[in-house]
Amino acid sequence: MTYDSVPPIAPVPDLSDLTGLPSGPPPVANALENLNAWDGRGMSAHLTALARRTANRAAERAGQIQSTGLGIREWHNSFHAAVVSSLAAAETNAPEAERGWHADRLDAYAAAYGLRGWYRHTDFRGRHAVQVNLIRTHADGDRGRYFTADASSGGGFRPGPYRASVVDRDSHRVVYRAISVPIARQWVEQHESGDAEGVASQCPTGSARS
């Protein structure tokens, strides 16, 4: 895999510059023996230190990928996806008080190349998280933004006559429902190509539910 050749549209941050990297006490060594499980304050400090270490390592990895290309995995659809994945991991794992430093780096890198296909949300545990899907640059436009889901392929509740849904990778919200997968795919093709005029209106964006 090679570096993406898409030109930036804003200043590109140097992610190997870790000036301001959050710091604090390290995790307790051999915590099972040296940390009292009933010591609430001590346990909280230990967990915060673990989260900080995980976040900072991810931030360092993002800088390494950007500068050397090392660390890209087979599941990354592009060089930028590898960088964003590490920046997202850093923000997701960072202690709340330190999250802003990592979020600023992700925002700056995404702005540099107009990157989309990722979003912030609250996970099922009520915790802040950053989800990375199919990363697109400003040159991609909306191509690859949506995917279809077939409600007839599994169990569970089916919303009336609609057997297919279209999900937005930029927000993970359902933006369209259709009575068949081919119609849903037609909607995707027309919206991603910018030729949405005349698309059959079965369950339009405004009435879709996430």
Side-chain angles (χ1 to χ4, degrees), residues 26-201:
V28 176
N30 197 1
L32 289 178
E33 294 184 5
N34 299 325
L35 185 62
N36 185 344
W38 295 101
D39 178 6
R41 182 175 298 179
M43 180 63 72
S44 178
H46 174 65
L47 294 176
T48 296
L50 287 175
R52 178 186 302 114
R53 183 174 67 183
T54 299
N56 289 355
R57 285 178 176 175
E60 293 168 358
R61 186 168 62 250
Q64 178 188 52
I65 295 172
Q66 183 192 36
S67 60
T68 68
L70 298 177
I72 300 175
R73 299 291 182 255
E74 62 273 10
W75 56 82
H76 293 132
N77 70 296
S78 68
F79 168 77
H80 292 307
V83 176
V84 169
S85 292
S86 289
L87 293 172
E91 180 180 333
T92 296
N93 287 284
E96 183 176 1
E98 302 169 6
R99 187 181 300 151
W101 187 86
H102 297 281
D104 287 346
R105 282 162 52 91
L106 174 53
D107 287 341
Y109 188 81
Y113 295 98
L115 301 181
R116 291 174 294 172
W118 64 277
Y119 60 91
R120 296 180 171 96
H121 68 110
T122 300
D123 67 15
F124 68 94
R125 300 167 298 180
R127 298 179 183 177
H128 177 83
V130 181
Q131 175 66 38
V132 178
N133 294 318
L134 183 69
I135 294 299
R136 314 185 313 280
T137 70
H138 64 89
D140 296 315
D142 281 336
R143 180 63 64 182
R145 177 174 179 175
Y146 304 102
F147 69 92
T148 60
D150 184 358
S152 65
S153 62
F157 175 74
R158 298 178 185 176
Y162 303 116
R163 297 180 55 190
S165 299
V166 176
V167 183
D168 186 351
R169 287 190 171 96
D170 290 356
S171 64
H172 204 70
R173 294 182 179 275
V174 173
V175 294
Y176 185 75
R177 299 189 194 278
I179 60 174
S180 69
V181 172
I183 292 177
R185 288 174 178 165
Q186 179 189 22
W187 188 97
V188 170
E189 178 60 30
Q190 291 180 297
H191 278 73
E192 290 188 350
S193 66
D195 184 25
E197 185 176 355
V199 178
S201 178

